């Protein structure tokens, strides 16, 4: 469904030797990846390895220097149709749920952002109250949350709201960038169970960016290791113990100890 071919990304270096020379630092090197419909792929790597950069390329926020990325065969950069398709089919949930929900918005208004995105696709919303209530119950919250504000919710509750907003526009793919990393271990498990349930119920495809191997083994069926901007291993989670990747081995050992 989504295909990345030879994706390279570089950024302008901050420290230039001479003012008239523009030096660039390459962050992603020749990334090739195929994301089939219904899969759940975990993208794992240490801080600075390029995970979020890859995420931004995937969700249309950062045009790569070279390479192509297609969604259902349509290139997402350089074609209006691709952009539109991406908006329709992909949602994102970020780590920082406290800033990704506008603090001045009530939960109802936060959810409306997602619903409006769906209306822009030309899909009418018949009963708004029922829609809002349905979204909240989908993520295990009740109607009493609608009039509350983000600061009145716990981290786990607010992240549930952000997931409901992502689901509201009826995407086919959801990209999670460290979406559960700042929650406590118990809440992380609750949210992962919720994500698993939603995936089945709504036939979703997940891309799950994290530096936590345990959450990948819990949720994903494939894992991809990113090291200094390169994919060093990509395999089914069930064969993780056979990895030849040094970073992956180190992570596995730290978990087994
Ligand atoms: N807009 C930018 N301009 C310049 N450099 C950038 C930019 N965005 C990212 N980088 C650099 O690219 C590299 C990869 O960053 P990225 O955010 O993708 O890492 P990450 O794997 O998501 O790390 P973390 O686990 O800490 O979130 C880093 O060295 C970072 O400093
Ligand atoms: Mg990141």
């Amino acid at each position: 469904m989504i295909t990345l071919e030879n994706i390279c990304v570089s950024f302008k270096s901050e420290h230039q030797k001479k003012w008239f020379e523009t030096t660039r630092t390459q962050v992603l090197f020749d990334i090739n990846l195929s994301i089939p419909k219904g899969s759940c792929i975990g993208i794992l790597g240490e801080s600075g390895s390029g995970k979020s950069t890859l995420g931004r390329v995937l969700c249309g926020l950062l045009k790569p220097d070279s390479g192509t990325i297609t969604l259902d065969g349509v290139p997402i950069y350089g074609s209006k149709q691709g952009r539109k398709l991406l908006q329709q089919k992909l949602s994102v949930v970020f780590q920082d749920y406290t800033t990704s929900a506008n603090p001045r918005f009530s939960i109802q208004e936060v959810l409306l952002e997602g619903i409006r995105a769906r209306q822009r696709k030309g899909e009418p919303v018949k009963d708004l109250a029922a829609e809002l209530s349905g979204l909240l119950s989908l993520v295990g919250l009740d109607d009493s949350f609608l009039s509350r504000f983000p600061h009145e919710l716990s981290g786990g509750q607010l992240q549930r709201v952000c997931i409901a907003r992502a689901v509201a526009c009826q995407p086919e793919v959801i990209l999670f960038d460290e979406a559960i990393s700042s929650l406590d271990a118990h809440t992380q498990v609750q949210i992962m169970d919720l994500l698993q349930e939603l995936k089945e119920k709504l036939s979703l495809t997940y891309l799950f960016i994290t530096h936590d191997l345990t959450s990948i083994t819990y949720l994903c069926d494939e894992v991809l290791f990113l090291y200094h901007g390169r994919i060093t291993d990509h395999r089914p989670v069930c064969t993780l113990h056979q990895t030849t990747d040094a970073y992956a081995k180190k992570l596995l050992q730290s978990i087994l100890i």
Side-chain angles (χ1 to χ4, degrees):
M1 168 189 215
I2 302 180
T3 312
L4 286 86
E5 275 175 66
N6 307 319
I7 297 292
C8 293
V9 172
S10 65
F11 294 111
K12 223 162 120 181
S13 304
E14 274 178 29
H15 304 290
Q16 289 186 23
K17 289 188 191 103
K18 294 174 186 146
W19 67 269
F20 52 85
E21 274 180 6
T22 308
T23 51
R24 297 184 75 85
T25 309
Q26 193 158 351
V27 171
L28 291 179
F29 299 81
D30 269 323
I31 303 290
N32 288 290
L33 176 63
S34 169
I35 305 159
K37 202 172 162 52
S39 59
C40 179
I41 301 182
I43 299 171
L44 190 84
E46 58 187 17
S47 184
S49 56
K51 305 182 296 294
S52 297
T53 305
L54 181 59
R56 274 186 286 153
V57 170
L58 269 164
C59 60
L61 294 171
L62 179 70
K63 191 175 186 291
D65 299 356
S66 60
T68 49
I69 159 162
T70 55
L71 174 58
D72 290 341
V74 183
I76 64 162
Y77 290 98
S79 90
K80 259 193 189 162
Q81 191 199 353
R83 286 260 126 190
K84 209 168 155 203
L85 209 61
L86 194 67
Q87 274 173 9
Q88 285 176 356
K89 297 199 170 185
L90 189 130
S91 274
V92 191
V93 180
F94 292 108
Q95 169 173 25
D96 200 351
Y97 43 82
T98 47
T99 53
S100 62
N102 187 329
R104 291 177 199 277
F105 277 11
S106 66
I107 300 310
Q108 168 158 338
E109 288 167 311
V110 172
L111 293 177
L112 275 172
E113 287 181 303
I115 293 177
R116 286 203 193 99
R118 198 172 99 215
Q119 286 172 318
R120 280 198 291 275
K121 287 193 216 173
E123 289 172 28
V125 175
K126 285 181 211 130
D127 185 345
L128 194 58
E131 190 80 26
L132 289 165
S133 173
L135 277 171
L136 281 178
S137 86
L138 205 57
V139 295
L141 301 174
D142 61 46
D143 289 1
S144 69
F145 283 87
L146 285 174
S147 56
R148 289 162 72 172
F149 285 84
H151 69 271
E152 297 171 329
L153 270 61
S154 73
Q157 288 166 341
L158 190 52
Q159 195 55 307
R160 281 172 192 266
V161 170
C162 291
I163 292 166
R165 176 179 58 184
V167 164
C169 62
Q170 293 182 341
E172 289 180 14
V173 187
I174 305 184
L175 171 78
F176 300 91
D177 189 349
E178 305 278 11
I180 59 165
S181 305
S182 43
L183 301 170
D184 66 77
H186 178 66
T187 316
Q188 280 190 357
V189 174
Q190 283 182 340
I191 299 280
M192 283 192 289
D193 286 339
L194 167 70
L195 294 181
Q196 218 144 26
E197 197 187 305
L198 288 178
K199 186 175 181 298
E200 297 302 316
K201 221 185 256 182
L202 308 172
S203 314
L204 294 163
T205 303
Y206 283 167
L207 286 163
F208 195 77
I209 293 176
T210 181
H211 56 258
D212 174 31
L213 184 60
T214 320
S215 59
I216 285 196
T217 54
Y218 197 86
L219 194 66
C220 303
D221 31 62
E222 281 176 43
V223 56
L224 183 156
F225 291 93
L226 209 57
Y227 186 71
H228 290 303
R230 289 188 166 88
I231 296 178
T232 48
D233 197 9
H234 181 183
R235 59 173 58 248
V237 166
C238 58
T239 67
L240 196 56
H241 57 285
Q242 292 166 1
T243 185
T244 49
D245 178 74
Y247 173 65
K249 278 182 172 173
K250 211 171 85 184
L251 276 180
L252 272 176
Q253 275 166 5
S254 69
I255 288 175
L256 293 175
I257 284 168

